[in-house]
Amino acid sequence: MLLYVYLSSIFFLLTALVVLKRLKSRQKITMGGWLSYLWWGGNPDAVHEVSGLTRREVYAVQRSWAPVSANSVANGTELLKRLFRAYPETKDFFKMLRNQTEEDFSSNIQFKAHVINLMSSLDQAVANLNQPEVVAAMMRRLGESHNKRQIKESHFHDLKDVIVKMFIEVLKLDDATLGAWGKTVDFWYNHVFETLNAEAR
């Protein structure tokens, strides 16, 4: 009983704070509006200054990524196979695959390790979209490591092209979620390219 009273008090206190905040900013208060505000932890359509994403878009990206992450090695392997088919020159960056056919990839331990590393990085980048400053730092570090391997911006754009086509085909994403993914990858790439192109500046 005490727990119920305590939780109810917190709910009403939070509701009052939201209403007061809205009154100060002269925003119209509706029942759905303040419930939405509480549910999302703020305005779901406010754009974050670092990522350029709204809370609603972050949620769409994270929700749509969940089935990919659930079978990350198989999906990561498929992603790279599609990349190599669409852009065969990218396979040259993977020394362990140069003399192997696509059928041999699954038994290649070094390739599997790279897939796990790739998918783990993507998992972390998606999971931490609510902390865009952290993700930006991760992406700058990724740019540094790929700079050393002579990988160019164009190769990242090739990968984005393959990701989008795979998501459309496999995940059947709606336009709003695809748009959120486009903004997410653009956010990532902006920070990857800061360090990827460091010597060119």
Side-chain angles (χ1 to χ4, degrees), residues 2 18 35 56 59 66 95-96 103 111 119 140 142 146 158 160 162 182 189 198:
L2 285 175
V18 169
L35 281 175
R56 204 181 297 275
Y59 174 75
K95 293 178 183 177
M96 78 289 277
E103 292 74 32
F111 178 70
M119 297 305 284
R140 284 191 288 271
L142 183 73
H146 284 72
D158 294 344
K160 179 181 178 182
V162 172
Y189 281 11

Side-chain angles (χ1 to χ4, degrees), residues 16-107:
L17 288 173
V18 169
V19 170
L20 288 172
K21 188 173 183 178
R22 292 283 180 99
L23 284 173
K24 283 185 179 178
S25 62
R26 293 198 164 100
Q27 292 180 357
K28 185 178 179 183
I29 303 168
T30 63
M31 176 68 99
W34 66 262
L35 281 175
S36 177
Y37 195 90
L38 285 174
W39 173 261
W40 290 100
N43 183 348
D45 299 310
V47 176
H48 195 284
E49 61 183 17
V50 175
S51 67
L53 295 164
T54 66
R55 287 177 172 88
R56 204 181 297 275
E57 288 168 332
V58 167
Y59 174 75
V61 167
Q62 291 174 336
R63 186 190 58 195
S64 62
W65 179 251
V68 179
S69 179
N71 195 5
S72 62
V73 174
N75 288 318
T77 300
E78 179 61 22
L79 175 64
L80 289 177
K81 284 180 179 179
R82 288 175 182 238
L83 176 68
F84 300 152
R85 285 181 215 137
Y87 303 96
E89 69 279 5
T90 59
K91 188 180 171 188
D92 292 339
F93 292 112
F94 297 80
K95 293 178 183 177
M96 78 289 277
L97 300 178
R98 285 185 183 162
N99 298 317
Q100 294 200 326
T101 64
E102 195 173 281
E103 292 74 32
D104 299 326
F105 292 177
S106 298
S107 61

Side-chain angles (χ1 to χ4, degrees), residues 1-15:
M1 181 66 180
L2 285 175
L3 179 62
Y4 174 76
V5 172
Y6 176 72
L7 291 175
S8 297
S9 300
I10 290 175
F11 175 77
F12 287 118
L13 178 62
L14 288 173
T15 302

